[in-house]
Amino acid sequence: MAKAQFHRHQKVWVEAVGAWATIDRLIPVWAKGFDEPVKITYDVGLGREFQGHELMEESPSESAMGEVDGSAWRILRARNKWQAPEDCGHHPQPGTFPVVVTDPNDWGGWRTPGAEYDRDPYKIEQQARLLACAPKLMGLARELSAMVADDPEDAPPELVRLARLAANIIRYVSDQQVAPDVEVRAAQ
């Protein structure tokens, strides 16, 4: 009898296509005379059903890349309530706007007012992507700072400068009451 290897809404690597996908449905295959399914296939929205051996689950290191305090930051699309999709054809995805969620239960996060989104939707989309990547960028800054801190004499001067900049940003974001220096403001 077949047991499900993956669950609905799980992110998986589809080897045959070479892309990440999310499982939409589990499809049990039944045979006459059996109480349980003999095979389970998975619909991941790529045009055909895939078997379990064609899929790989996301490794812990990949899922942790964008996590802060155990919750992955990501962009969800919310329905645009203030305009009909026909009235906002200049938007990248008419009828929706980005919402950056910072909680595993899709609570909390960042939104933009409708008028501001309508004024410059491409700018807001870019800001949403930046916010969603912020935990990864903080991880990168921490790694860079730690790498140079281990052996600053052997690091090139430009790398030492970047590591100091990263350390200042980390202190500022961590709210340790240290204002960013002029170099940090210039880099933004």
Side-chain angles (χ1 to χ4, degrees):
M1 297 304 119
K3 300 285 183 202
Q5 295 174 275
F6 307 103
H7 57 83
R8 194 166 171 233
H9 300 300
Q10 183 176 0
K11 185 177 178 182
V12 292
W13 177 257
V14 184
E15 189 62 38
V17 179
W20 289 102
T22 304
I23 295 178
D24 294 332
R25 334 180 268 145
L26 280 68
I27 305 162
V29 178
W30 297 90
K32 191 173 185 175
F34 291 96
D35 294 335
E36 295 180 22
V38 293
K39 181 170 79 170
I40 295 179
T41 59
Y42 303 90
D43 178 8
V44 296
L46 295 175
R48 72 171 178 93
E49 298 170 10
F50 292 90
Q51 296 182 14
H53 71 274
E54 297 177 285
L55 308 173
M56 292 188 326
E57 68 180 297
E58 184 177 30
S59 70
S61 63
E62 289 163 343
S63 63
M65 262 179 70
E67 294 189 7
V68 172
D69 299 329
S71 63
W73 292 20
R74 64 211 172 281
I75 298 175
L76 298 179
R77 304 297 307 177
R79 191 174 59 81
N80 184 337
K81 297 176 185 175
W82 61 89
Q83 282 181 316
E86 308 82 55
D87 297 336
C88 52
H90 64 287
H91 292 181
Q93 295 184 29
T96 67
F97 66 97
V99 175
V100 179
V101 291
T102 57
D103 184 81
N105 296 322
D106 294 342
W107 301 350
W110 299 89
R111 301 171 188 259
T112 187
E116 184 178 343
Y117 182 78
D118 192 42
R119 187 173 41 89
D120 194 349
Y122 289 94
K123 176 183 172 187
I124 301 302
E125 294 284 343
Q126 181 186 22
Q127 290 173 350
R129 289 190 301 273
L130 177 63
L131 284 169
C133 290
K136 293 176 187 174
L137 293 171
M138 278 298 292
L140 182 65
R142 283 189 186 104
E143 284 185 39
L144 174 64
S145 183
M147 181 180 76
V148 173
D150 289 343
D151 203 2
E153 295 83 29
D154 288 340
E158 183 63 17
L159 192 58
V160 171
R161 186 187 71 76
L162 291 173
R164 283 190 187 127
L165 181 63
N168 287 340
I169 292 170
I170 292 166
R171 277 193 299 275
Y172 178 70
V173 171
S174 298
D175 195 27
Q176 295 176 355
Q177 303 303 319
V178 177
D181 61 8
V182 176
E183 192 174 29
V184 173
R185 285 191 213 110
Q188 295 173 348

Short mmCIF file of all heavy atoms in Angstrom, two decimals, residues 89-138:
data_model
loop_
_atom_site.label_atom_id
_atom_site.label_comp_id
_atom_site.label_asym_id
_atom_site.label_seq_id
_atom_site.Cartn_x
_atom_site.Cartn_y
_atom_site.Cartn_z
N GLY A 89 -4.59 48.39 -15.47
CA GLY A 89 -3.82 47.62 -16.45
C GLY A 89 -2.34 47.95 -16.44
O GLY A 89 -1.52 47.17 -16.91
N HIS A 90 -1.96 49.10 -15.88
CA HIS A 90 -0.55 49.49 -15.81
C HIS A 90 0.18 48.82 -14.64
O HIS A 90 1.38 48.94 -14.53
CB HIS A 90 -0.42 51.02 -15.70
CG HIS A 90 -1.00 51.60 -14.45
ND1 HIS A 90 -2.35 51.69 -14.23
CD2 HIS A 90 -0.38 52.11 -13.36
CE1 HIS A 90 -2.55 52.24 -13.03
NE2 HIS A 90 -1.37 52.50 -12.49
N HIS A 91 -0.55 48.10 -13.78
CA HIS A 91 0.09 47.38 -12.67
C HIS A 91 0.75 46.11 -13.19
O HIS A 91 0.29 45.52 -14.17
CB HIS A 91 -0.95 47.00 -11.61
CG HIS A 91 -1.51 48.18 -10.88
ND1 HIS A 91 -2.42 48.04 -9.87
CD2 HIS A 91 -1.30 49.52 -10.99
CE1 HIS A 91 -2.75 49.23 -9.40
NE2 HIS A 91 -2.08 50.14 -10.08
N PRO A 92 1.83 45.66 -12.54
CA PRO A 92 2.49 44.42 -12.97
C PRO A 92 1.56 43.21 -12.93
O PRO A 92 1.62 42.36 -13.80
CB PRO A 92 3.64 44.25 -11.98
CG PRO A 92 3.83 45.57 -11.34
CD PRO A 92 2.53 46.31 -11.44
N GLN A 93 0.71 43.13 -11.90
CA GLN A 93 -0.25 42.04 -11.78
C GLN A 93 -1.60 42.67 -11.44
O GLN A 93 -1.95 42.78 -10.26
CB GLN A 93 0.19 41.04 -10.72
CG GLN A 93 1.48 40.34 -11.09
CD GLN A 93 1.87 39.28 -10.08
OE1 GLN A 93 1.04 38.68 -9.42
NE2 GLN A 93 3.16 39.03 -9.98
N PRO A 94 -2.36 43.10 -12.46
CA PRO A 94 -3.62 43.81 -12.22
C PRO A 94 -4.57 43.04 -11.31
O PRO A 94 -4.71 41.82 -11.42
CB PRO A 94 -4.23 43.96 -13.62
CG PRO A 94 -3.06 43.90 -14.54
CD PRO A 94 -2.08 42.95 -13.88
N GLY A 95 -5.16 43.79 -10.39
CA GLY A 95 -6.11 43.18 -9.46
C GLY A 95 -5.51 42.74 -8.15
O GLY A 95 -6.23 42.34 -7.24
N THR A 96 -4.17 42.77 -8.03
CA THR A 96 -3.51 42.37 -6.78
C THR A 96 -2.41 43.36 -6.43
O THR A 96 -2.00 44.16 -7.26
CB THR A 96 -2.89 40.97 -6.88
OG1 THR A 96 -1.81 41.00 -7.81
CG2 THR A 96 -3.92 39.92 -7.30
N PHE A 97 -1.94 43.26 -5.18
CA PHE A 97 -0.78 44.03 -4.75
C PHE A 97 0.03 43.16 -3.79
O PHE A 97 -0.50 42.22 -3.21
CB PHE A 97 -1.20 45.36 -4.11
CG PHE A 97 -1.97 45.22 -2.81
CD1 PHE A 97 -1.33 45.33 -1.59
CD2 PHE A 97 -3.33 44.99 -2.82
CE1 PHE A 97 -2.02 45.20 -0.40
CE2 PHE A 97 -4.04 44.85 -1.64
CZ PHE A 97 -3.37 44.97 -0.43
N PRO A 98 1.33 43.44 -3.62
CA PRO A 98 2.16 42.59 -2.77
C PRO A 98 1.97 42.90 -1.29
O PRO A 98 1.79 44.05 -0.89
CB PRO A 98 3.58 42.95 -3.21
CG PRO A 98 3.48 44.37 -3.66
CD PRO A 98 2.12 44.50 -4.27
N VAL A 99 2.00 41.84 -0.49
CA VAL A 99 1.99 41.94 0.96
C VAL A 99 3.14 41.08 1.45
O VAL A 99 3.21 39.89 1.12
CB VAL A 99 0.66 41.43 1.56
CG1 VAL A 99 0.72 41.44 3.08
CG2 VAL A 99 -0.50 42.26 1.06
N VAL A 100 4.07 41.66 2.19
CA VAL A 100 5.19 40.90 2.74
C VAL A 100 4.77 40.40 4.11
O VAL A 100 4.48 41.20 5.00
CB VAL A 100 6.47 41.77 2.85
CG1 VAL A 100 7.60 40.96 3.44
CG2 VAL A 100 6.85 42.31 1.49
N VAL A 101 4.69 39.08 4.27
CA VAL A 101 4.32 38.50 5.57
C VAL A 101 5.59 38.01 6.26
O VAL A 101 6.50 37.48 5.62
CB VAL A 101 3.28 37.37 5.44
CG1 VAL A 101 1.94 37.93 5.02
CG2 VAL A 101 3.72 36.30 4.51
N THR A 102 5.62 38.21 7.57
CA THR A 102 6.81 37.87 8.34
C THR A 102 6.50 36.84 9.42
O THR A 102 7.28 36.66 10.34
CB THR A 102 7.39 39.14 9.00
OG1 THR A 102 6.38 39.74 9.81
CG2 THR A 102 7.85 40.14 7.94
N ASP A 103 5.37 36.18 9.30
CA ASP A 103 4.94 35.21 10.30
C ASP A 103 4.54 33.91 9.59
O ASP A 103 3.96 33.96 8.50
CB ASP A 103 3.73 35.79 11.06
CG ASP A 103 3.28 34.89 12.19
OD1 ASP A 103 3.91 34.95 13.27
OD2 ASP A 103 2.31 34.13 11.99
N PRO A 104 4.85 32.76 10.16
CA PRO A 104 4.50 31.50 9.48
C PRO A 104 2.99 31.30 9.29
O PRO A 104 2.56 30.54 8.44
CB PRO A 104 5.08 30.41 10.38
CG PRO A 104 5.40 31.06 11.67
CD PRO A 104 5.56 32.52 11.42
N ASN A 105 2.16 32.00 10.07
CA ASN A 105 0.71 31.86 9.94
C ASN A 105 0.11 32.92 9.01
O ASN A 105 -1.09 33.16 9.05
CB ASN A 105 0.05 31.98 11.31
CG ASN A 105 0.47 30.86 12.22
OD1 ASN A 105 0.61 29.73 11.78
ND2 ASN A 105 0.71 31.17 13.49
N ASP A 106 0.95 33.55 8.19
CA ASP A 106 0.52 34.59 7.25
C ASP A 106 -0.10 35.79 7.96
O ASP A 106 -0.98 36.46 7.44
CB ASP A 106 -0.45 34.04 6.20
CG ASP A 106 0.21 33.03 5.29
OD1 ASP A 106 1.45 33.01 5.24
OD2 ASP A 106 -0.50 32.25 4.65
N TRP A 107 0.36 36.07 9.17
CA TRP A 107 -0.06 37.26 9.90
C TRP A 107 1.09 38.24 9.86
O TRP A 107 2.23 37.89 9.62
CB TRP A 107 -0.35 36.96 11.35
CG TRP A 107 -1.40 35.96 11.64
CD1 TRP A 107 -2.29 35.40 10.77
CD2 TRP A 107 -1.68 35.38 12.91
NE1 TRP A 107 -3.08 34.51 11.41
CE2 TRP A 107 -2.73 34.47 12.74
CE3 TRP A 107 -1.14 35.53 14.17
CZ2 TRP A 107 -3.26 33.74 13.78
CZ3 TRP A 107 -1.66 34.79 15.20
CH2 TRP A 107 -2.71 33.91 15.00
N GLY A 108 0.81 39.46 10.16
CA GLY A 108 1.85 40.46 10.31
C GLY A 108 2.61 40.70 9.03
O GLY A 108 2.53 39.94 8.08
N GLY A 109 3.36 41.76 9.03
CA GLY A 109 4.17 42.05 7.87
C GLY A 109 4.02 43.48 7.43
O GLY A 109 3.75 44.37 8.23
N TRP A 110 4.16 43.70 6.13
CA TRP A 110 4.20 45.05 5.57
C TRP A 110 3.25 45.15 4.39
O TRP A 110 3.19 44.27 3.55
CB TRP A 110 5.61 45.37 5.12
CG TRP A 110 6.59 45.35 6.23
CD1 TRP A 110 7.30 44.27 6.68
CD2 TRP A 110 6.95 46.42 7.09
NE1 TRP A 110 8.08 44.62 7.74
CE2 TRP A 110 7.89 45.95 8.02
CE3 TRP A 110 6.58 47.76 7.16
CZ2 TRP A 110 8.46 46.74 9.00
CZ3 TRP A 110 7.15 48.54 8.14
CH2 TRP A 110 8.07 48.04 9.04
N ARG A 111 2.54 46.25 4.34
CA ARG A 111 1.63 46.57 3.22
C ARG A 111 1.87 48.01 2.82
O ARG A 111 2.47 48.77 3.55
CB ARG A 111 0.17 46.42 3.63
CG ARG A 111 -0.19 45.05 4.09
CD ARG A 111 -1.58 45.04 4.69
NE ARG A 111 -1.81 43.74 5.27
CZ ARG A 111 -2.52 42.80 4.70
NH1 ARG A 111 -3.10 43.04 3.55
NH2 ARG A 111 -2.67 41.63 5.25
N THR A 112 1.33 48.38 1.71
CA THR A 112 1.43 49.76 1.26
C THR A 112 0.01 50.29 1.02
O THR A 112 -0.87 49.53 0.63
CB THR A 112 2.28 49.85 -0.02
OG1 THR A 112 2.49 51.19 -0.35
CG2 THR A 112 1.64 49.13 -1.18
N PRO A 113 -0.21 51.57 1.24
CA PRO A 113 -1.54 52.13 0.95
C PRO A 113 -1.85 52.03 -0.55
O PRO A 113 -0.95 52.11 -1.39
CB PRO A 113 -1.43 53.60 1.37
CG PRO A 113 -0.25 53.66 2.28
CD PRO A 113 0.68 52.55 1.86
N GLY A 114 -3.13 51.87 -0.86
CA GLY A 114 -3.54 51.70 -2.25
C GLY A 114 -3.14 52.85 -3.16
O GLY A 114 -2.69 52.64 -4.28
N ALA A 115 -3.28 54.07 -2.68
CA ALA A 115 -2.93 55.23 -3.52
C ALA A 115 -1.44 55.24 -3.83
O ALA A 115 -1.02 55.59 -4.94
CB ALA A 115 -3.34 56.52 -2.82
N GLU A 116 -0.63 54.86 -2.85
CA GLU A 116 0.82 54.83 -3.08
C GLU A 116 1.19 53.73 -4.08
O GLU A 116 2.02 53.93 -4.95
CB GLU A 116 1.55 54.61 -1.77
CG GLU A 116 3.06 54.68 -1.90
CD GLU A 116 3.78 54.51 -0.57
OE1 GLU A 116 3.14 54.65 0.48
OE2 GLU A 116 4.99 54.22 -0.61
N TYR A 117 0.54 52.57 -3.96
CA TYR A 117 0.81 51.48 -4.90
C TYR A 117 0.41 51.90 -6.32
O TYR A 117 1.15 51.65 -7.27
CB TYR A 117 0.07 50.21 -4.50
CG TYR A 117 0.35 49.05 -5.42
CD1 TYR A 117 1.54 48.34 -5.33
CD2 TYR A 117 -0.57 48.67 -6.40
CE1 TYR A 117 1.82 47.29 -6.19
CE2 TYR A 117 -0.30 47.62 -7.26
CZ TYR A 117 0.89 46.93 -7.14
OH TYR A 117 1.16 45.89 -8.00
N ASP A 118 -0.72 52.54 -6.46
CA ASP A 118 -1.21 52.96 -7.77
C ASP A 118 -0.29 54.01 -8.40
O ASP A 118 -0.12 54.05 -9.61
CB ASP A 118 -2.63 53.49 -7.66
CG ASP A 118 -3.28 53.66 -9.02
OD1 ASP A 118 -3.10 52.77 -9.88
OD2 ASP A 118 -3.94 54.69 -9.23
N ARG A 119 0.34 54.84 -7.57
CA ARG A 119 1.22 55.90 -8.09
C ARG A 119 2.45 55.32 -8.76
O ARG A 119 2.87 55.78 -9.81
CB ARG A 119 1.63 56.82 -6.93
CG ARG A 119 2.41 58.03 -7.36
CD ARG A 119 2.65 59.00 -6.20
NE ARG A 119 2.98 58.35 -4.95
CZ ARG A 119 4.23 58.05 -4.57
NH1 ARG A 119 5.24 58.31 -5.33
NH2 ARG A 119 4.44 57.47 -3.41
N ASP A 120 3.07 54.29 -8.15
CA ASP A 120 4.28 53.69 -8.72
C ASP A 120 4.34 52.21 -8.37
O ASP A 120 5.08 51.80 -7.47
CB ASP A 120 5.53 54.42 -8.21
CG ASP A 120 6.77 54.07 -9.02
OD1 ASP A 120 6.72 53.12 -9.83
OD2 ASP A 120 7.80 54.74 -8.83
N PRO A 121 3.54 51.37 -9.03
CA PRO A 121 3.46 49.95 -8.65
C PRO A 121 4.77 49.20 -8.82
O PRO A 121 5.08 48.31 -8.03
CB PRO A 121 2.37 49.38 -9.56
CG PRO A 121 2.25 50.34 -10.69
CD PRO A 121 2.66 51.67 -10.15
N TYR A 122 5.59 49.55 -9.80
CA TYR A 122 6.85 48.83 -10.01
C TYR A 122 7.83 49.10 -8.87
O TYR A 122 8.57 48.22 -8.44
CB TYR A 122 7.46 49.19 -11.37
CG TYR A 122 6.66 48.59 -12.50
CD1 TYR A 122 5.65 49.33 -13.13
CD2 TYR A 122 6.86 47.27 -12.89
CE1 TYR A 122 4.90 48.77 -14.14
CE2 TYR A 122 6.11 46.71 -13.91
CZ TYR A 122 5.13 47.46 -14.53
OH TYR A 122 4.37 46.89 -15.52
N LYS A 123 7.81 50.32 -8.35
CA LYS A 123 8.66 50.67 -7.20
C LYS A 123 8.22 49.88 -5.97
O LYS A 123 9.05 49.34 -5.24
CB LYS A 123 8.58 52.17 -6.94
CG LYS A 123 9.36 52.62 -5.72
CD LYS A 123 9.17 54.11 -5.49
CE LYS A 123 9.77 54.56 -4.19
NZ LYS A 123 9.45 55.96 -3.90
N ILE A 124 6.92 49.79 -5.73
CA ILE A 124 6.40 49.07 -4.57
C ILE A 124 6.69 47.58 -4.70
O ILE A 124 7.05 46.91 -3.72
CB ILE A 124 4.89 49.32 -4.40
CG1 ILE A 124 4.60 50.81 -4.23
CG2 ILE A 124 4.33 48.51 -3.23
CD1 ILE A 124 5.31 51.49 -3.06
N GLU A 125 6.58 47.02 -5.91
CA GLU A 125 6.92 45.61 -6.13
C GLU A 125 8.39 45.36 -5.79
O GLU A 125 8.74 44.37 -5.16
CB GLU A 125 6.64 45.20 -7.58
CG GLU A 125 5.19 45.21 -7.97
CD GLU A 125 4.38 44.04 -7.44
OE1 GLU A 125 4.97 43.02 -7.03
OE2 GLU A 125 3.14 44.14 -7.44
N GLN A 126 9.26 46.28 -6.21
CA GLN A 126 10.69 46.13 -5.91
C GLN A 126 10.93 46.22 -4.40
O GLN A 126 11.71 45.45 -3.84
CB GLN A 126 11.50 47.21 -6.63
CG GLN A 126 12.99 47.10 -6.36
CD GLN A 126 13.79 48.25 -6.96
OE1 GLN A 126 13.25 49.31 -7.22
NE2 GLN A 126 15.06 48.01 -7.16
N GLN A 127 10.25 47.15 -3.73
CA GLN A 127 10.40 47.28 -2.29
C GLN A 127 9.92 46.02 -1.57
O GLN A 127 10.53 45.58 -0.60
CB GLN A 127 9.65 48.51 -1.78
CG GLN A 127 10.27 49.82 -2.20
CD GLN A 127 9.41 51.01 -1.83
OE1 GLN A 127 8.27 50.88 -1.42
NE2 GLN A 127 9.99 52.20 -2.00
N ALA A 128 8.85 45.43 -2.06
CA ALA A 128 8.33 44.19 -1.45
C ALA A 128 9.36 43.07 -1.58
O ALA A 128 9.60 42.31 -0.63
CB ALA A 128 7.00 43.79 -2.10
N ARG A 129 9.99 42.96 -2.77
CA ARG A 129 11.01 41.93 -2.95
C ARG A 129 12.20 42.18 -2.03
O ARG A 129 12.78 41.25 -1.46
CB ARG A 129 11.45 41.87 -4.41
CG ARG A 129 10.39 41.29 -5.34
CD ARG A 129 10.94 41.02 -6.74
NE ARG A 129 11.47 42.21 -7.39
CZ ARG A 129 10.76 43.07 -8.12
NH1 ARG A 129 9.47 42.87 -8.28
NH2 ARG A 129 11.33 44.10 -8.68
N LEU A 130 12.58 43.45 -1.87
CA LEU A 130 13.67 43.81 -0.97
C LEU A 130 13.35 43.43 0.47
O LEU A 130 14.17 42.85 1.18
CB LEU A 130 14.00 45.30 -1.08
CG LEU A 130 15.10 45.82 -0.15
CD1 LEU A 130 16.43 45.16 -0.46
CD2 LEU A 130 15.21 47.33 -0.26
N LEU A 131 12.13 43.75 0.91
CA LEU A 131 11.73 43.40 2.28
C LEU A 131 11.72 41.90 2.48
O LEU A 131 12.16 41.40 3.53
CB LEU A 131 10.34 43.97 2.58
CG LEU A 131 10.27 45.46 2.85
CD1 LEU A 131 8.82 45.93 2.87
CD2 LEU A 131 10.95 45.79 4.16
N ALA A 132 11.22 41.16 1.50
CA ALA A 132 11.17 39.70 1.63
C ALA A 132 12.58 39.10 1.70
O ALA A 132 12.79 38.07 2.33
CB ALA A 132 10.39 39.09 0.47
N CYS A 133 13.55 39.75 1.07
CA CYS A 133 14.94 39.25 1.07
C CYS A 133 15.76 39.79 2.25
O CYS A 133 16.91 39.40 2.42
CB CYS A 133 15.64 39.62 -0.24
SG CYS A 133 15.01 38.71 -1.64
N ALA A 134 15.19 40.68 3.05
CA ALA A 134 15.94 41.30 4.15
C ALA A 134 16.59 40.29 5.09
O ALA A 134 17.76 40.47 5.46
CB ALA A 134 15.04 42.27 4.92
N PRO A 135 15.92 39.21 5.51
CA PRO A 135 16.60 38.25 6.39
C PRO A 135 17.82 37.61 5.73
O PRO A 135 18.84 37.38 6.39
CB PRO A 135 15.52 37.20 6.69
CG PRO A 135 14.24 37.91 6.47
CD PRO A 135 14.50 38.88 5.35
N LYS A 136 17.72 37.32 4.44
CA LYS A 136 18.86 36.74 3.72
C LYS A 136 20.00 37.74 3.64
O LYS A 136 21.17 37.39 3.80
CB LYS A 136 18.44 36.30 2.32
CG LYS A 136 17.46 35.16 2.32
CD LYS A 136 17.01 34.83 0.91
CE LYS A 136 15.91 33.80 0.94
NZ LYS A 136 15.35 33.56 -0.37
N LEU A 137 19.66 39.00 3.39
CA LEU A 137 20.70 40.04 3.32
C LEU A 137 21.36 40.25 4.68
O LEU A 137 22.57 40.47 4.76
CB LEU A 137 20.09 41.35 2.80
CG LEU A 137 19.64 41.32 1.34
CD1 LEU A 137 18.85 42.57 0.99
CD2 LEU A 137 20.82 41.15 0.41
N MET A 138 20.58 40.16 5.76
CA MET A 138 21.17 40.26 7.11
C MET A 138 22.10 39.08 7.36
O MET A 138 23.17 39.25 7.94
CB MET A 138 20.07 40.29 8.17
CG MET A 138 19.48 41.65 8.38
SD MET A 138 20.67 42.89 8.95
CE MET A 138 21.04 42.30 10.57
#
